[in-house]
Amino acid sequence: MKKNTHLIQAGRGKKWVGQAVNPPVVRASTITFDTMAELAHASQHKGNRVPFYGRRGTATHFAFQEAMCELEGGAGCALYPCGAAAVSGALLSFLQSGDHLLMVDSVYEPTRALCEKILRPMGIDTEYYDPMLGAGIVELIRPSTKVIFLESPGSLTMEVQDVPAICNIAQQHGIVTILDNTWASPILCRPFEMGVDISIQAATKYIVGHSDVMLGTASANEKHWPQLREHSYVLGYCASADDVYQASRGLRTLGIRLQQHEHNALQIARWLADRPDVETVRHPAFSSNPGHEAFKRDFSGSNGLFSFALKQGGAKAVAAFVEGMQYFKMGFSWGGYESLISPTLNVQKLRTASQWPHQGPLIRLHIGLEDPDDLIADLTQAFARYQAAL
Ligand SMILES: *Cc1c(COP(=O)(O)O)cnc(C)c1O
């Protein structure tokens, strides 16, 4: 089955949808049983595709979980109220006091905050590593290293990691690998074929695709699924059937949306790369992007998210750039149908184990489904405002 066909088929078996096209929204806390035997059967499966208790999911959840496993290649998929909860749920499922965690330095900032504000006071020691470190990560491994966390590409600065090399080292040392795979969505790479144990998605982004729902997923391979599922459940993570329904719905158009995001973003990224006031464009599909070779090897395409560094400018010039946009809205998150812009004045302040090579401010764009000509016109005006404010 090709990818676009798979996105239509996944999680839509008769068992889940009946005679309808989509799985129904089944909202439940209590699940009721007629006999002791039914209760025992449900208890034994503990909500693994058998209703047990609302927190363990209903048919709406099971259908979406099945779809995610088919698309990402995992053995099971745990659901969370948002992507940040999937990150904390996965890390807390595999770490204990006294453990050492290797965390990529280009990681999504709230993940770093989790390490510093929650994990460190619990006695879990996070050490950050350069995103361009591949097999060299072996030098950082200690007897207490239990998890290596990856995010590829980094969702702000776009370094593509050598995921297979790192996973290979981790496997030799019995270390769990967790990949924040949100940029790729479930279809631009095959995380389990790269050797990852757990693949996280902020479904909030491209899976939902309409900037109106928060949801997270963590898929695991056969070996790690029982612990991820049980620990996440015990921690109390769950997701609403209504939100999961929207994620399931989003999957059907994910392929065609991503194609258009990719097409629009590449056009705009190339336009930016030709501008004299742009220092560099960080787009994984560009040969100048750190880890571009790994991108070509491991990914089947790109999406709408990339960033670029300006040659110069402080807060005033950046404000002139981002204020007064016609189509780009300023705000966090990405993956919806609309274009977004997000400035960072000092990238170096966000990292501790690697050197950010550019002096000027960084601007991240999410290129939506608008006509790219209109977006380029919007950016042209932004550059004029910025130049006038320098
Ligand atoms: C947005 C995002 C998250 C967090 O997802 P939320 O649903 O906003 O909690 C985690 N990782 C990455 C890479 C993200 O972009």
Side-chain angles (χ1 to χ4, degrees):
M1 219 188 301
K2 301 268 194 193
K3 216 174 287 174
N4 281 328
T5 313
H6 213 166
L7 283 166
I8 304 302
Q9 295 293 321
R12 282 184 53 241
K14 261 234 134 74
K15 181 177 174 195
W16 306 126
V17 304
Q19 288 180 285
V21 172
N22 294 292
V25 178
V26 181
R27 313 175 94 244
S29 54
T30 300
I31 304 293
T32 63
F33 308 96
D34 288 337
T35 64
M36 292 280 285
E38 276 179 21
L39 181 69
H41 174 77
S43 309
Q44 195 193 337
H45 286 85
K46 292 220 178 75
N48 207 14
R49 301 182 189 186
V50 176
F52 172 70
Y53 177 58
R55 202 188 318 138
R56 296 253 193 196
T58 66
T60 313
H61 304 80
F62 304 153
F64 177 65
Q65 288 167 313
E66 185 178 293
M68 288 299 294
C69 288
E70 281 187 23
L71 294 167
E72 283 199 300
C77 172
L79 302 180
Y80 303 84
C82 64
V87 170
S88 68
L91 284 169
L92 291 169
S93 291
F94 294 96
L95 287 168
Q96 292 177 355
S97 175
D99 288 348
H100 177 238
L101 162 66
L102 283 169
M103 173 61 65
V104 65
D105 202 31
S106 48
V107 76
Y108 178 63
E109 200 278 330
T111 300
R112 183 182 285 261
L114 170 82
C115 296
E116 297 310 316
K117 292 179 182 170
I118 306 288
L119 301 184
R120 198 173 296 286
M122 284 170 67
I124 296 161
D125 181 17
T126 302
E127 180 177 350
Y128 298 90
Y129 66 91
D130 188 317
M132 288 299 96
L133 203 55
I137 200 158
V138 70
E139 315 269 327
L140 302 180
I141 289 173
R142 306 176 193 166
S144 58
T145 308
K146 291 292 154 56
V147 172
I148 299 176
F149 192 100
L150 309 94
E151 179 180 316
S152 180
S155 57
L156 180 65
T157 44
M158 302 294 150
E159 297 91 342
V160 183
Q161 295 191 249
D162 192 342
V163 176
I166 291 175
C167 291
N168 182 36
I169 298 287
Q171 269 161 16
Q172 289 169 26
H173 292 79
I175 295 167
V176 179
T177 46
I178 304 177
L179 168 67
D180 185 333
N181 195 30
T182 302
W183 191 90
S185 87
I187 62 167
L188 296 179
C189 74
R190 304 281 302 161
F192 297 100
E193 285 170 18
M194 292 195 272
V196 162
D197 294 316
I198 315 273
S199 169
I200 288 172
Q201 292 286 338
T204 309
K205 310 287 164 59
Y206 280 121
I207 294 176
V208 165
H210 292 72
S211 305
D212 53 0
V213 170
M214 307 212 66
L215 189 72
T217 72
S219 299
N221 56 14
E222 200 77 49
K223 182 171 173 204
H224 296 89
W225 170 232
Q227 182 161 331
L228 177 73
R229 172 163 65 98
E230 196 51 26
H231 287 206
S232 295
Y233 172 71
V234 168
L235 282 162
Y237 290 110
C238 59
S240 107
D242 301 86
D243 292 347
V244 171
Y245 177 85
Q246 296 295 347
S248 200
R249 196 179 209 252
L251 284 181
R252 312 310 164 196
T253 55
L254 177 65
I256 193 162
R257 280 188 283 116
L258 276 186
Q259 260 169 39
Q260 195 63 41
H261 283 293
E262 172 178 45
H263 173 266
N264 292 0
L266 281 170
Q267 184 178 335
I268 291 165
R270 288 190 193 112
W271 177 81
L272 284 165
D274 283 342
R275 286 197 58 101
D277 32 19
V278 170
E279 162 94 1
T280 189
V281 173
R282 283 285 177 109
H283 189 304
F286 279 22
S287 58
S288 58
N289 197 72
H292 174 66
E293 291 305 315
F295 174 77
K296 278 200 300 193
R297 182 190 61 200
D298 299 335
F299 289 74
S300 60
S302 58
N303 61 26
L305 192 76
F306 68 94
S307 50
F308 64 95
L310 290 161
K311 282 205 172 121
Q312 54 173 325
K316 181 168 155 272
V318 171
F321 194 107
V322 298
E323 293 176 7
M325 305 294 294
Q326 193 175 358
Y327 302 116
F328 285 89
K329 305 289 180 202
M330 186 163 36
F332 298 108
S333 198
W334 45 276
Y337 53 80
E338 82 291 4
S339 289
L340 293 171
I341 189 164
S342 161
T344 304
L345 286 176
N346 188 345
V347 177
Q348 190 60 47
K349 241 170 61 185
L350 301 175
R351 50 182 69 203
T352 49
S354 54
Q355 197 61 39
W356 173 248
H358 307 293
Q359 297 305 313
L362 187 77
I363 295 188
R364 189 179 76 175
L365 299 178
H366 177 252
I367 304 300
L369 303 177
E370 302 90 343
D371 192 298
D373 291 344
D374 289 329
L375 298 177
I376 286 176
D378 205 10
L379 288 167
T380 303
Q381 287 175 18
F383 274 107
R385 290 193 302 269
Y386 156 81
Q387 286 293 351
L390 274 178

